[in-house]
Amino acid sequence: MQALNTGRLNTSRRDGRVALENLSLMRGLFENGRAHLLPVLPSALASDILLRGYDPRTLDRVYRDRAAGSFGPIGRVVDRMVLDMPLHEALRERFDAAVGELCAAVVVRARENKLPCRVLMAPCGLGREILAADARLRIRHPELVNGVEWIGAENPVDPGVLAEAAERSAAAGVTVRWLARNPVTLKLDDIGGRPCDVIVGLGSTFQRSVGAVGSLIRTHASLLNSGGVLLVDRWDASGKHRLSRAMSVESTPVSRTELHRILRSAGLSVEREHPTGSGGCTLTVCRKA
């Protein structure tokens, strides 16, 4: 009996699933009066956004920054256009700034002889920031790698996300405590009963109301050590791009004044900010008094 080519079979199934998703998207776009978006469907990223919004896997595709698509070279060209949207450039700049701040916080804790450094990322998605920070520390400060305790929490809507994050961290040799928890309702008991030294709350304000942002930041502050650092981002309405508007990529802008007021009321003081070159995103670094 001839052996099955499982690689070809898996590829065929994946291509078939993509084709069905694209057909469903095409029908939905026609029915909802958005047929003008049909030209971007060859883009793998555009399809992800239209199907699932900015979920952890969509964000991971933005971070990878590799053109892909379901129609060969045409798909890759269209995907490159979508990857280069100001919004996505801003997401990658935010990622780089967050990884740099994470590493800096660990180095500062080491200089103060306060290791281990407990780092919580909530929401964590697929944990790419954690793995990137660990990789950078291994190169620049290998003596500090074992002095970091990584924790990642993600809303358990899709349990496959944390399973994939755990696979990635295991493959990279990074020990992470993954928690299927809603970041808004996290409590000290969920993270081992001890507060954290650094909390990363990327995406906290993207599609939340001012009140919901306040609730999440108060939760983050309650989990921080005195002197601990919180990283949070903010998006401006001015950062919108015509393609993102056409794709209905809607954020809920929280103004700088509103965010700073929320941080102060939670007992946090702003230390510095990293505005992106485009896309209207600002990474804010604040500290618990």
Side-chain angles (χ1 to χ4, degrees):
M1 183 182 293
Q2 185 177 5
L4 285 174
N5 187 331
T6 55
R8 183 177 299 171
L9 184 62
N10 289 337
T11 300
S12 176
R13 286 175 177 168
R14 184 171 61 249
D15 290 346
R17 185 176 66 250
V18 170
L20 286 174
E21 288 178 346
N22 280 343
L23 282 173
S24 176
L25 267 177
M26 290 171 66
R27 183 167 59 250
L29 292 176
F30 273 115
E31 291 173 353
N32 296 319
R34 300 167 68 197
H36 61 282
L37 289 176
L38 288 174
V40 302
L41 280 188
S43 159
L45 177 56
S47 296
D48 279 356
I49 296 169
L50 292 169
L51 278 168
R52 298 188 299 271
Y54 284 91
D55 72 352
R57 292 191 174 90
T58 302
L59 282 174
D60 198 63
R61 192 184 288 279
V62 173
Y63 292 155
R64 277 204 312 270
D65 196 23
R66 284 196 220 123
S70 53
F71 294 96
I74 294 175
R76 287 191 290 274
V77 169
V78 179
D79 203 46
R80 173 45 56 194
M81 291 172 57
V82 178
L83 281 166
D84 289 344
M85 285 167 48
L87 170 64
H88 300 146
E89 291 178 355
L91 284 168
R92 290 189 288 272
E93 287 184 47
R94 182 194 70 175
F95 174 88
D96 290 338
V99 170
E101 288 288 350
L102 263 176
C103 293
V106 174
V107 171
V108 169
R109 296 288 294 182
R111 288 174 181 167
E112 296 172 347
N113 294 316
K114 292 181 179 178
L115 293 182
C117 180
R118 300 194 88 215
V119 178
L120 167 67
M121 185 161 187
C124 64
L126 291 168
R128 183 176 282 266
E129 290 87 350
I130 291 175
L131 299 186
D134 181 88
R136 186 176 298 186
L137 286 172
R138 287 176 187 273
I139 294 171
R140 300 182 182 180
H141 302 279
E143 73 283 2
L144 304 182
V145 170
N146 293 328
V148 186
E149 183 181 346
W150 301 106
I151 306 168
E154 181 64 42
N155 204 336
V157 175
D158 180 0
V161 168
L162 281 184
E164 186 174 342
E167 288 178 5
R168 292 186 181 197
S169 60
V174 184
T175 301
V176 184
R177 181 178 181 181
W178 300 107
L179 303 174
R181 297 285 189 278
N182 186 338
V184 180
T185 59
L186 270 177
K187 293 181 172 53
L188 272 179
D189 287 344
D190 296 324
I191 59 172
R194 293 179 292 122
C196 294
D197 304 299
V198 185
I199 295 180
V200 183
L202 301 185
S204 298
T205 69
F206 188 65
Q207 291 179 313
R208 284 187 171 92
S209 66
V210 173
V213 170
S215 296
L216 181 56
I217 286 180
R218 284 192 294 274
T219 297
H220 285 154
S222 71
L223 302 175
L224 265 181
N225 262 322
S226 179
V229 172
L230 171 67
L231 307 182
V232 62
D233 58 343
R234 176 180 61 79
W235 294 82
D236 292 321
S238 61
K240 289 185 179 180
H241 179 262
R242 64 180 179 83
L243 182 54
S244 64
R245 286 197 302 269
M247 292 175 67
S248 298
V249 178
E250 296 296 334
S251 63
T252 307
V254 175
S255 72
R256 185 174 186 270
T257 300
E258 288 170 328
L259 180 60
H260 286 201
R261 176 185 57 77
I262 291 169
L263 292 170
R264 284 195 304 271
S265 68
L268 299 161
S269 58
V270 174
E271 292 205 330
R272 56 189 167 275
E273 294 185 313
H274 298 274
T276 58
S278 60
C281 181
T282 299
L283 178 71
T284 301
V285 182
C286 43
R287 189 175 299 274
K288 186 172 181 178

